[in-house]
Structures are given as C-alpha cells and as structure tokens.
Amino acid sequence: MPLSQSEVLAGLAEIVNDETGISADAVALEKSFVDDLDIDSISMMTIVVNAEDKFGVKIPDEEVKNLITVGDAVNFIVGAQG
Amino acid sequence: MSRKIVVTGIGATTPLGGDAQSTWRALLAGESGISTLEQPWIEKYEVPVTFAGQAKVAANQILTPQEAKRLDPSSQFALIAAREAWADAGKPDVAPERLAVEFATGIGGVWTLLDAFETLQERGPRRVLPMTVPMLMPNGPAAAVGMDIAARGGVRTAVSACASSTEAVANALDRLLSGAVDVVVAGGCEAAIHPLPISAFAAMHALSKKNDSPATASRPYDVNRDGFVMGEGGAALVLETEEHALARGAKIYAELAGGAVTSDAHHITAPDPEGTGAARAVIAALKQADASIQEVVHINAHATSTPVGDIAEYVALKRVFGEHLENIVVSATKSSTGHLLGGAGAVEAIFTVLALKERVAPPTLNLDDQDPAIPLDVATSPRKLPDGPILAISNSFGFGGHNAVVVFRSYEG
C-alpha cells in the first residue's frame, strides 16, 4: 500500500537527519533544501539515493533539480510509488 | 635576524591512547598497542597476518556521525589529532591567510576506495556515494583539517610512504622560515588496517608474522625481528614562529630547529645499504639547525623492526655520528605503537618533542637479544636525558627511497 504524505515526510526527515544531522523536526514541507536547510548538492544526491532505496521509487537525475522544497520531494515520492 | 620555529601544540590518536598525553604516558609505562584483530574479514580472506595496532579510541567515539560519514577513517584520525593540537596550542589567533596545513598520509583513503568498489560491484554505479572522491583523495585529511581551522595560507599533502609526515613537518619548517605564514598545523595519519594492504605488505614479506604473540612482534634491533607491525592513527603539531608564539604568550614545547629530505634513487623498496641518502638527510637537517653532532643526545629512530631496515639506519647513523653515536640514547617507539606508515613521523616527532621537554627517552620494547650488527645504546626503560640545551632527531624512511629527518632543540623559556 502506498505511503501517505506524512509517512513519506517522516521517512525523508529521517534520511536527512542521518545524512546531515539536521533535526528531523526541522524537515518540514515548506522548507527549501538549499536555502533553509543548507544542504549541498553532494548531500542531496546521497539523500536522493537513500530515498530511492527506502521508498522503492526511481528519482531521475533530471528531476532532482526540480525538488526545491521538502514538499516537492515528498509529493514526487508519493506520486512515484507503485 | 634568524627566525626560530617552535612547537606550541600537540595532538595524537594512536594504538596507545586517544590523545597525545595518554599516548605518551602509555609509551613511558612500556605498554604495547598491538593486539589480535577480531574483524570478520580476517577469517573471510584468510589474511596471513592477524594482528596490528588499532587506534585505542575509535574515531566514531569522538566525531559526530555526520562528520564520520563524510570522512575516510584516515581523515577522521587527522581531524581528531589536529583539533587536539589546535586546542592545546590555545587556538592561536592568526589571520587565516597566515595559517597553513601540512598533513600527510602514506596511502590515503583506502577504506573508502575499496568499499566503493564493493558497492559498485554489488549495487551498481548509482549507489556509489557522491562523497567517494573527496573521501579517498590523499589530500582529504589535509583539506579536512584546513577547513576545520579555516587555514587559507595553503593546505598541502606530502606523500612519501612511511616518510610522509616527517616530510610534512620539514615542509612546514620551510614555509615558516620563508616568512610565508606564521602558523602551520603539520601532521600525518593512516588508516590502512584493511585486508588488502595487510595482504599486500605481507606478500612482500614486510610484515611480522608472529601471529601468536602480537605484543612482542614489533622488536626493533632484536635478532628475532621479522618485519613491521601495522598501526593506525594520526598525530599533529602546531608549529609557529617564535615571535608569533611569544607575542601571544603561548607555551612552547621545543624548537623545530631543522628538517631535511633526501632520496636514494637506489631501489623502490630496499634501503640503500650504504645509508648515504639517509646520512645526507641527517647532516642537512643538523646543518639547518646550525648544530654540531655532539649536541645530539637522543634519536627517535625509524626502526620498523625489519631485518634490513634496522641495519641500514644504523649504518647511516654511524656514518654521520661516528664514535659520538655511543653517547646517543636511541628509542625505537614502533615497538609500542606499531608502524603508522604516513602517520608514523608525526607521532614520533611528538615523542621527540616530549622527550626533550620532560628530559626522558622513551623505552623500546621487546629488545631481548640485541643484534650484534647494531651496537646502539637503546633505551629499554625510560632513560633520563641531560639538563641544559640538548638536541634530538627523528628519522623516517619510506618505500621509494625517501629519507626525511627533523631536528628538535630543547627550549629554554
């Protein structure tokens, strides 16, 4: 069964916390990965690959540049779930 | 006016301890940092050598998970040692453009490289971590240290196998003497206790195979020595101009009086049996220190416990010091720490500095039956060094025919 938006957000927050040490509570839908969370491109690629593994989805490289906010990523993952 | 360069901070994480002072105390107490390896890969690969000197305090006990995740183990050791040295020096207030780093490694990020290859084979290229390149590059440790202390006066990496970090200290001296910078964090690190480097060193018969008695396997100058014992860790020194140190009221451990690097061009791994290249390095370093051979009271020898290496170093020392050699107290501290490869020179530089400061030559373990071909005066228990102005040298030699020597002088405040 596909995960809900809040379940994906919680899972993504865990990945972000693991990679960067940013508190999971700070990983909110409206936050920008770069401007608000100060996540660099290398961390972003690691987060993407870990999210692919965790949620069983494929996030194409050309899509990553469109994932500006946490909400963008959550919505993409929710939509991409089989 | 000639410029003096002094040591104002030290830091280390070694098989003997998680910091410089506990390492030094364990060394003086005659402890061995060598033990049997329990890792599953020992059995998996049937690695022929089953012991080494592992860091006494694991790096992940010190660093945050996020720091550790982005750094190869070699860089983790570098950062831990450099932070300790920097704090020990009182975190000098220096313009970033006048602060440099010289941090060496022998092998670089070998764990990262080989883990990444395993990931590639098992899970494909997309799963190879994007941090792989900055983690495996040999300048990774220097860069990590440089970023941590905001050094913008140049961050460099000497890579000359087991001579690497002595070369880094010598390079730091040059930079300080040239007036380019006021403070340098110099050091070295290694994290190569991995089945591949162990197998490779064993294949060339460089390692001791005394699997049944790890603590007595590293036995420099003993007739029953059969190779070196791998160690891991890192060490760092804060070096600065005396003027800069005095102006900020820093404590001063010793003067870094000379440093020199030469090369053998003889054989890729074997030392020159005549010891001429090594001797030239000692002479050049003493010349830079404006010192006579009679002033030298202590040598921290390279002495890895290999049959040919220990003799070659003796021949070189005899060539330089002649009859005065019998008045010099020699310590072969790899008998306690194992051989930290690219980190060895920095660890031993710290031992040399502390020997001068505390007027004690540290002990050499396992010298039960001294090789008659090496009639050195070896300290087998802590040995008092004379009062007054004294000099000590630390030697490092590396595969490739690299010879690096640094000279320290006691500092009278």
Side-chain angles (χ1 to χ4, degrees):
Chain A
M1 200 175 84
L3 297 173
S4 70
Q5 193 192 52
S6 62
E7 286 167 325
V8 170
L9 175 62
L12 189 62
E14 205 175 290
I15 290 171
V16 170
N17 171 257
D18 188 49
E19 172 63 18
T20 65
I22 295 166
S23 154
D25 296 341
V27 185
L29 290 174
E30 72 282 5
K31 293 283 176 68
S32 156
F33 286 109
V34 176
D35 295 335
D36 297 325
L37 300 178
D38 201 24
I39 289 172
D40 63 22
S41 60
I42 285 182
S43 284
M44 191 63 191
M45 285 315 300
T46 306
I47 290 164
V48 164
V49 170
N50 288 342
E52 287 186 336
D53 282 352
K54 188 175 189 116
F55 301 114
V57 298
K58 182 97 187 96
I59 307 175
D61 284 349
E62 56 274 20
E63 188 60 43
V64 175
K65 65 177 186 298
N66 300 325
L67 305 180
I68 308 296
T69 65
V70 174
D72 296 338
V74 169
N75 291 335
F76 182 88
I77 292 165
V78 169
Q81 290 180 105
Chain B
M1 189 198 95
S2 69
R3 193 177 261 127
K4 268 191 196 176
I5 307 307
V6 295
V7 182
T8 56
I10 56 173
T13 180
T14 74
L16 291 175
D19 57 65
Q21 283 300 332
S22 58
T23 294
W24 175 243
R25 295 293 149 215
L27 180 71
L28 291 181
E31 290 175 22
S32 167
I34 314 301
S35 59
T36 298
L37 297 169
E38 311 284 351
Q39 287 86 338
W41 48 256
I42 288 286
E43 252 181 71
K44 180 179 174 191
Y45 294 110
E46 297 178 16
V47 178
V49 172
T50 60
F51 61 100
Q54 294 181 276
K56 180 100 170 185
V57 178
N60 63 14
Q61 289 181 33
I62 310 290
L63 301 175
T64 68
Q66 283 72 36
E67 284 175 327
K69 200 188 289 277
R70 285 187 155 219
L71 296 170
D72 180 80
S74 58
S75 292
Q76 295 175 20
F77 292 139
L79 194 56
I80 290 167
R83 281 178 178 167
E84 183 197 351
W86 191 243
D88 184 45
K91 302 189 177 179
D93 186 13
V94 54
E97 295 74 20
R98 304 286 300 168
L99 172 62
V101 171
E102 296 279 349
F103 222 98
T105 175
I107 299 181
V110 66
W111 270 101
T112 296
L113 177 65
L114 297 173
D115 278 354
F117 189 52
E118 207 172 284
T119 301
L120 173 65
Q121 287 176 307
E122 290 173 4
R123 305 181 65 205
R126 195 168 163 76
R127 294 296 180 272
V128 173
L129 287 172
M131 276 300 286
T132 301
V133 170
M135 285 172 69
L136 72 82
M137 61 193 193
N139 54 316
V145 171
M147 282 179 56
D148 203 58
I149 59 171
R152 302 205 167 94
V155 167
R156 310 194 305 185
T157 301
V159 177
S160 49
C162 305
S164 299
S165 55
T166 298
E167 182 172 336
V169 173
N171 290 346
L173 179 62
D174 282 347
R175 292 219 71 204
L176 289 159
L177 287 175
S178 77
V181 291
D182 298 318
V183 182
V184 179
V185 174
C189 59
E190 204 75 74
I193 300 177
H194 176 288
L196 183 67
I198 291 179
S199 301
F201 279 121
M204 67 196 299
H205 298 287
L207 293 182
S208 170
K209 293 191 170 65
K210 297 182 189 296
N211 288 330
D212 297 335
S213 54
T216 61
S218 185
R219 41 196 316 115
Y221 309 135
D222 189 89
V223 289
N224 291 315
R225 69 189 185 278
D226 71 334
F228 77 82
V229 176
M230 281 187 47
E232 65 176 4
L237 300 93
V238 176
L239 304 167
E240 61 186 298
T241 61
E242 182 187 40
E243 191 185 1
H244 194 271
L246 291 177
R248 67 183 189 87
K251 71 169 182 293
I252 293 173
Y253 285 92
E255 178 191 352
L256 171 58
V261 170
T262 66
S263 46
D264 286 346
H266 167 72
H267 184 275
I268 191 63
T269 56
D272 175 357
E274 303 294 320
T276 51
R280 279 189 298 117
V282 175
I283 291 166
L286 287 172
K287 190 172 174 199
Q288 186 173 35
D290 198 18
S292 71
I293 58 169
Q294 280 76 21
E295 291 174 76
V296 177
V297 300
H298 171 55
I299 296 174
N300 189 305
H302 185 59
T304 63
S305 180
T306 63
V308 293
D310 290 7
I311 289 185
E313 184 177 16
Y314 167 71
V315 170
L317 293 173
K318 187 71 185 169
R319 192 178 275 275
V320 175
F321 293 99
E323 285 183 7
H324 176 62
L325 190 53
E326 60 197 54
N327 303 319
I328 297 176
V329 183
V330 176
S331 297
T333 50
K334 290 185 181 79
S335 57
S336 284
T337 60
H339 188 353
L340 274 70
L341 311 177
V347 172
E348 289 155 22
I350 287 176
F351 290 161
T352 310
V353 164
L354 290 171
L356 288 175
K357 184 156 193 298
E358 299 192 4
R359 306 274 166 171
V360 59
T364 301
L365 304 188
N366 306 319
L367 186 56
D368 298 329
D369 192 359
Q370 188 164 348
D371 187 338
I374 311 177
L376 290 167
D377 180 11
V378 182
T380 54
S381 58
R383 184 94 65 86
K384 172 98 177 72
L385 294 175
D387 296 330
I390 53 173
L391 243 71
I393 71 173
S394 177
N395 296 335
S396 296
F397 312 117
F399 286 168
H402 306 278
N403 309 299
V405 176
V406 285
V407 178
F408 294 97
R409 181 181 276 124
S410 58
Y411 189 86
E412 317 295 331

